[in-house]
Amino acid sequence: MAVASINMPRAKRSALELRRVAFSAAGWVACGIALFMVIGPLLDVVWVVASRGISAFSIGLFTTVTNGTGGGLANAISGTLILSAGALLIAVPIGVGAGIYLSEYGNNKIGNTIRFLSDVLTGTPSIVLGYFSYIVFVTGLGWQFSALAGSITLAILIVPYLARISELALRQVPISMREAAFALGANDPVVVFKVVLPGALSGVITGVLLALAISVGETAPLIYTAGWSNYMWNGQLTHSPIGYLTYVIWSFINQPSDESHALAFAAAFIVMLVVLCINIGVRLVVKRTRFV
Amino acid sequence: MKLKPFRLSVLGLSLLIPAALCAVVLFLAIYSAPAVSFNGFGFVSRITWDLGNLYGDPVTVRGVQVPPGASYGILVFVVGTLLSSFIAILIAVPLSVGAAIFLAESVPAKIRPILSLLVELVAVVPSVVFGLWGIAVLIPLMAGYIGPGLSHILGFIPFFSGGNTGSGYGLLTTSIVLALMITPIIATTLLDALLQVPKENRESAFALGATHFEVVSKAMMPMVRTTLIGGIVLALGRALGETMAVLMVSGGAINIMPQNIYSPVSTIASFIVSQLDSAEQDPTNMAVQSLAEIALVLFIITLAVNAAAKLLSSGVLNGRSKH
C-alpha cells in the first residue's frame, strides 16, 4: 500500500488529497450548520416568547383573574404554585426516602428492581399518568377536577426523578464518613440524617428544584385532573377545579382575539422563565454532573 | 435477624414508586376490560372512531352496553404516532449527530460548556411552549413557504405531492416540532460518548494521515454506534408519548389516514386529550373505557421502546460494555 502511494503520479495524489480535504471541510460545515439548527430554534423560542410575553406585562396581569377571552393571570399563577407545592409536599418525602434506601441499603435485588421500575415510570408518557388519575381520583373516588388530584398526578410524575437524583447525590458522600459515624456508635437514622444527608444536601436540593421545574411546565396530565377555573382557588382540596399557567398557553392561543394571544404569551414567558432559570442555575452551581 | 425499623421505613417509601407504576397499569387494565372485550383485536386495525348515537338507547353487544352505532378504532392514531415519530427521528438524527460532532471536536473547550448547556436547555423547554412557538412561528412559515416549496420541488415523490399543502397544521409540522424536542436527547448522549473515546484511538487515526473529519467519522463514530442507537431509541420513546406540542400543531385528524406529509394527523397521546369532553358525554361510559384502552396501548408501546433503549445502552447486545 505504502509503496503504491509513493509510486503514484504526483498529480493524481494531490487530486485525492484535494478531494479528502474538501470532503472534510464540507463535513465540518454541515456539522456546524446542524449545531446551529439545534440551538437556533431554542433562541428563537426564547426570543419570540420573551418579546411578545413582556409586551403583555402589566400590574393587572398579576392582580386580576382570567375571564373568557383575557384578563389577568392571578388565578393561574397561584394555581400553578399550589399544584407544584402540593406535588413537592407529596413527592419529596417519598423520593428522598427512596433515594436514601437505594443509596444506603439498595445494592441488592430489591434495589435493582425498584431502580428498574422507577425508570419505567420515568419513561411513561405523562398523559397515561393523567388518564390513570382521571379514572381513579376524578371519577372513581369522585373527587372531580381538583387540586388534590392534580397534585398527586404531578407527584407520581416527579417522584422517580427525585429518587434518582437523591440517590446519586447521597452516593457521592464518601464511605469513610459513614464508617467514621458508625465507629462512633451512631445508628442508621443518625448516620443518614446527621452525616450523609447534610453532606449531600446541595444535590438533593438540586433534585427538588428540577422536579419543581418539571411540574411547573407540565400540562397534559393536569387537563385531566386539575381541570380549569377562572377564579382563585377556594381552598378546597377536592370537588373544586383549579387554574394553572400552562392551560392558559394551550387554550388561549387558539382563541381569535389578540388579547387572548397576549395572555398566552405572558403565561408562556412566566413558565419559561421559571423553568430556564432553575435549569441554568442548577447547571451553573453543580458543574459537570448530568442527572437526568 | 434483628429488625431494623429505619431501613424498613425507607424501604417502604421506596416501594411506593413501583406500587404507583403497578397501580397505573392495573387500574388502566381493569378499567378498560369491558372496552377490550367489546373492541376485540380490531381495535388497532379499524379506522373509524365513532362514539355512536349518545342520545339513543344503549344496545348490548358482546355482553356490554354501548351507544348504538359506536365503533372504536385507533389505526389512524397509531399510524399518526408512528409516522410523526419516524419522520421526527429522520430529521433529528443528522442534526444531532452533526451538532454532537461539532461540539465534541471543533469547538474550543472553553466555549463547549456554554453551547452544550444551550443544547441541554432545548430539552427542558416545556412541551406547551414549543407548541405555542409552533403555532406562532412555524405554522405560518409552513403554510406560506416550506409546504408549497417542498410540494413544488419534491412533488415527484408521492408522499410530498399535494395540490393543496394545507394550513400548516399537519404531519410535517408535527414531526419538525418533535424533532426539535428530541435532538438534545440524541446529541447529549452522543457527545458524552464521543468525549469518552480513548485518546489512543484518535491519535492512531491521525498518525495514519487521516484528516480531522476522517478521524471523527471513520475512527470515532464506529466506536460509539451502539450508544448512538440507544440514544435514538430513547428519543423515539419520548417522541411517541409527546402530547401538548403535538396536540397544538398536528391539526387533529379523525377517521382519515394521512394522505401526504401536509395532512392533519392525530397521535395517540394528543387524541386522548382532545377527546375527553366528548367521551364524558357517553352515558354507557364505553368511550371513556376505550380511551383507557388507548392509554394502555400507548403505555405498552413506550415501554417496549424504552426497554429496547435500555438494552442497547447497557451494552448487553454488543459484548463490550461502554458504561
Side-chain angles (χ1 to χ4, degrees), chain A:
Chain A
M1 182 70 203
V3 176
S5 69
I6 287 170
N7 290 342
M8 240 191 276
R10 181 101 188 127
K12 199 169 183 185
R13 201 171 87 186
S14 79
L16 174 67
E17 253 177 33
L18 214 65
R19 202 166 65 228
R20 283 172 56 195
V21 170
F23 180 76
S24 297
W28 285 120
V29 171
C31 288
I33 293 173
L35 179 63
F36 176 75
M37 286 179 76
V38 173
I39 295 178
L42 171 77
L43 299 179
D44 193 48
V45 169
V46 173
W47 164 248
V48 168
V49 171
S51 61
R52 290 186 64 173
I54 290 174
S55 65
F57 267 36
S58 65
I59 308 252
L61 194 70
F62 299 95
T63 55
T64 55
V65 296
T66 47
N67 54 48
T69 57
L73 291 171
N75 54 329
I77 294 172
S78 63
T80 291
L81 288 178
I82 291 159
L83 286 168
S84 301
L88 288 179
L89 219 55
I90 301 167
V92 168
I94 300 174
V96 176
I100 291 172
Y101 177 80
L102 291 174
S103 128
E104 305 301 307
Y105 321 114
N107 288 328
N108 50 25
K109 266 202 179 128
I110 304 178
N112 288 336
T113 313
I114 293 173
R115 252 176 236 118
F116 172 74
L117 292 175
S118 177
D119 281 354
V120 173
L121 191 58
T122 310
T124 305
S126 61
I127 182 64
V128 174
L129 300 179
Y131 204 81
F132 157 77
S133 293
Y134 173 73
I135 59 175
V136 172
F137 303 123
V138 176
T139 62
L141 293 174
W143 292 355
Q144 295 167 6
F145 292 137
S146 57
L148 190 57
S151 291
I152 292 178
T153 314
L154 287 179
I156 299 176
L157 192 79
I158 59 179
V159 85
Y161 292 97
L162 279 165
R164 157 67 66 89
I165 299 173
S166 306
E167 184 194 350
L168 288 176
L170 292 169
R171 274 183 190 277
Q172 297 199 338
V173 176
I175 300 284
S176 55
M177 289 183 62
R178 296 184 180 85
E179 287 169 348
F182 278 122
L184 289 172
N187 56 9
D188 284 341
V190 172
V191 170
V192 167
F193 288 117
K194 292 272 159 87
V195 177
V196 181
L197 210 50
L201 198 61
S202 68
V204 174
I205 291 174
T206 299
V208 174
L209 285 174
L210 290 178
L212 175 67
I214 294 172
S215 53
V216 166
E218 199 50 74
T219 319
L222 290 176
I223 294 171
Y224 265 87
T225 52
W228 164 252
S229 163
N230 276 326
Y231 303 100
M232 298 296 280
W233 187 49
N234 59 10
Q236 276 188 293
L237 283 179
T238 58
H239 297 91
S240 158
I242 182 168
Y244 43 95
L245 282 168
T246 44
Y247 181 92
V248 178
I249 307 174
W250 170 57
S251 73
F252 278 59
I253 193 64
N254 286 321
Q255 293 188 10
S257 79
D258 286 343
E259 192 195 1
S260 312
H261 294 176
L263 204 62
F265 275 101
F269 179 64
I270 298 172
V271 169
M272 197 181 69
L273 199 64
V274 172
V275 171
L276 289 186
C277 281
I278 289 177
N279 277 284
I280 293 174
V282 160
R283 279 165 174 80
L284 288 183
V285 174
V286 193
K287 272 186 187 140
R288 300 258 359 112
T289 312
R290 190 170 293 130
F291 290 113
V292 189

